[in-house]
Amino acid sequence: MIFLILFTGVFALDYVVKQHVNTAWLQGSSRKAVGDRLIFRNCHNEGIAFGLLKKMDARWCQLIAAASLGGVVWESIRTWTHGGRRLAKAGLALILGGGANNLAERIQNGYVTDYLSVNVKKRDIRRLTFNLSDVFIMVGTCFWAAGSVLPHRKNRDSGKRKKR
């Protein structure tokens, strides 16, 4: 149940933020915040991560995103039904929430709204723009990977004698 709440929260949070960005900010506009450490923009990414495949037909990008999300759904079902670690399950819920949000927007609008950049000296890094769903996908991937490689704990009571 907690993982369903996590999935829903991730999806809803970025949905609300994207709606605000698309209604309150002009596309291409930018603002600095947090002591000029962050740049908020309104960018529509018609491709996939890092603007790759932006010249490709939108349906192909939708298909790639849907297939990727399908793989995560498969791994989630496998992990949740076969007793995976909570860290891996939480990571998969984050990936699913962010991935589903980006896919839904891509299907509805033909693009994904990106709005966050880190204001650093290196121009190539400063130009990278992402959204909260992307952050949740990255963090979720780290959680899932860590939860998948960590050894399973033995049952706490397995080594103890039962008191009679």
Side-chain angles (χ1 to χ4, degrees):
M1 181 63 158
I2 188 75
F3 304 113
L4 180 60
I5 293 169
L6 187 58
F7 163 82
T8 305
V10 166
F11 187 97
L13 176 63
D14 200 30
Y15 178 84
V16 169
V17 173
K18 286 177 181 176
Q19 291 299 316
H20 174 74
V21 167
N22 282 320
T23 57
W25 300 352
L26 292 174
Q27 186 179 356
S29 65
S30 66
R31 303 172 190 178
K32 292 182 180 177
V34 191
D36 290 345
R37 290 189 178 109
L38 291 178
I39 303 171
F40 291 97
R41 311 172 193 258
N42 183 352
C43 298
H44 293 167
N45 184 355
E46 295 175 357
I48 58 173
F50 308 112
L52 298 173
L53 307 179
K54 63 183 169 188
K55 298 200 188 288
M56 184 176 278
D57 186 287
R59 291 182 186 166
W60 279 107
C61 289
Q62 291 170 359
L63 183 62
I64 291 168
S68 300
L69 191 60
V72 176
V73 168
W74 178 263
E75 178 62 16
S76 298
I77 292 168
R78 192 188 70 73
T79 300
W80 292 338
T81 58
H82 290 90
R85 296 183 63 87
R86 287 183 183 167
L87 185 61
K89 292 176 185 179
L92 288 165
L94 293 173
I95 297 167
L96 283 173
N101 182 286
N102 280 346
L103 178 61
E105 185 181 23
R106 183 174 302 286
I107 290 170
Q108 181 178 3
N109 301 327
Y111 59 81
V112 173
T113 302
D114 290 330
Y115 49 83
L116 285 172
S117 296
V118 181
N119 193 12
V120 294
K121 289 183 181 180
K122 188 159 182 156
R123 185 172 186 241
D124 290 341
I125 294 173
R126 190 174 59 243
R127 290 183 54 212
L128 293 177
T129 307
F130 50 93
N131 56 48
L132 284 177
S133 288
D134 298 336
V135 172
F136 287 126
I137 291 167
M138 288 185 282
V139 170
T141 301
C142 293
F143 284 5
W144 169 73
S148 296
V149 298
L150 291 173
H152 286 281
R153 291 182 292 183
K154 300 273 185 191
N155 188 348
R156 293 180 188 168
D157 296 331
S158 64
K160 297 179 182 177
R161 285 187 170 168
K162 291 184 179 179
K163 294 183 180 179
R164 296 183 187 194

